[in-house]
Amino acid sequence: MQNLPQNKKIILFDGVCNLCDSAVQFIIKHDKKDVFRFVSLQSDTGKEISNYLGISSEKLSSIILYQPGYAYYHKSQAVFEIAKELGGLFSIIPIFSFLPTSLTDSLYDYVAKNRYKWYGKKEACMIPTPSLKSKFL
């Protein structure tokens, strides 16, 4: 935990999910301020962060945004926080945060429950290219 970058927001994601992989690639492309670092939930570092935060195994099916020394968000709240940082048209997405979390998380859960069926699953986590390696923990 001591080796985590304190000035970066860390996105924990399902490393075998094709939808999640696409989302990570999308965020990397639009992260113009170099705010985010990424770690799969299945990795040793992902497990260490999850354990440190006391995140239950039921939350491990969702995206988690961790701001070291500050807070963590999961499900729809993580999506809203990530969108804020991407700026541009993406900064409109958090406008939906006025909706009850139970509603936005229900929609998130519906997609999460069906993500493997709709988008498929990998046999192993993605290995970043040398140019992207610095973005992953």
Side-chain angles (χ1 to χ4, degrees):
M1 292 299 296
Q2 294 172 347
N3 295 331
L4 295 179
Q6 296 299 305
N7 61 341
K8 301 293 180 188
K9 296 178 181 182
I10 301 168
I11 297 175
L12 290 91
F13 66 98
D14 180 348
V16 297
C17 168
N18 286 332
L19 175 61
C20 303
D21 179 60
S22 294
V24 166
Q25 297 303 320
F26 180 87
I27 294 166
I28 288 170
K29 181 179 176 181
H30 293 91
D31 182 19
K32 304 299 183 200
K33 296 183 259 177
D34 192 34
V35 172
F36 300 110
R37 292 298 177 264
F38 304 87
V39 62
S40 79
L41 288 162
Q42 293 87 352
S43 71
D44 290 340
T45 303
K47 291 174 187 173
E48 183 181 0
I49 294 170
S50 298
N51 288 336
Y52 173 78
L53 295 173
I55 297 173
S56 69
S57 60
E58 70 186 39
K59 292 182 182 174
L60 295 180
S61 66
S62 75
I63 190 170
I64 298 167
L65 174 64
Y66 174 48
Q67 294 176 254
Y70 181 69
Y72 80 89
Y73 307 90
H74 70 284
K75 297 185 181 186
S76 64
Q77 298 310 304
V79 172
F80 295 145
E81 291 295 321
I82 292 166
K84 282 181 194 176
E85 293 293 345
L86 296 180
L89 290 176
F90 307 109
S91 61
I92 296 171
I93 294 170
I95 199 167
F96 296 104
S97 66
F98 79 90
L99 295 169
T101 302
S102 60
L103 177 64
T104 57
D105 278 354
S106 292
L107 178 59
Y108 184 97
D109 288 339
Y110 178 73
V111 173
K113 180 181 173 186
N114 292 291
R115 69 188 188 276
Y116 294 144
K117 181 171 45 170
W118 294 341
Y119 298 96
K121 184 176 176 180
K122 300 174 192 234
E123 293 298 317
C125 294
M126 156 184 102
I127 298 177
T129 62
S131 63
L132 292 179
K133 196 164 182 94
S134 67
K135 297 265 189 196
F136 291 83
L137 304 177

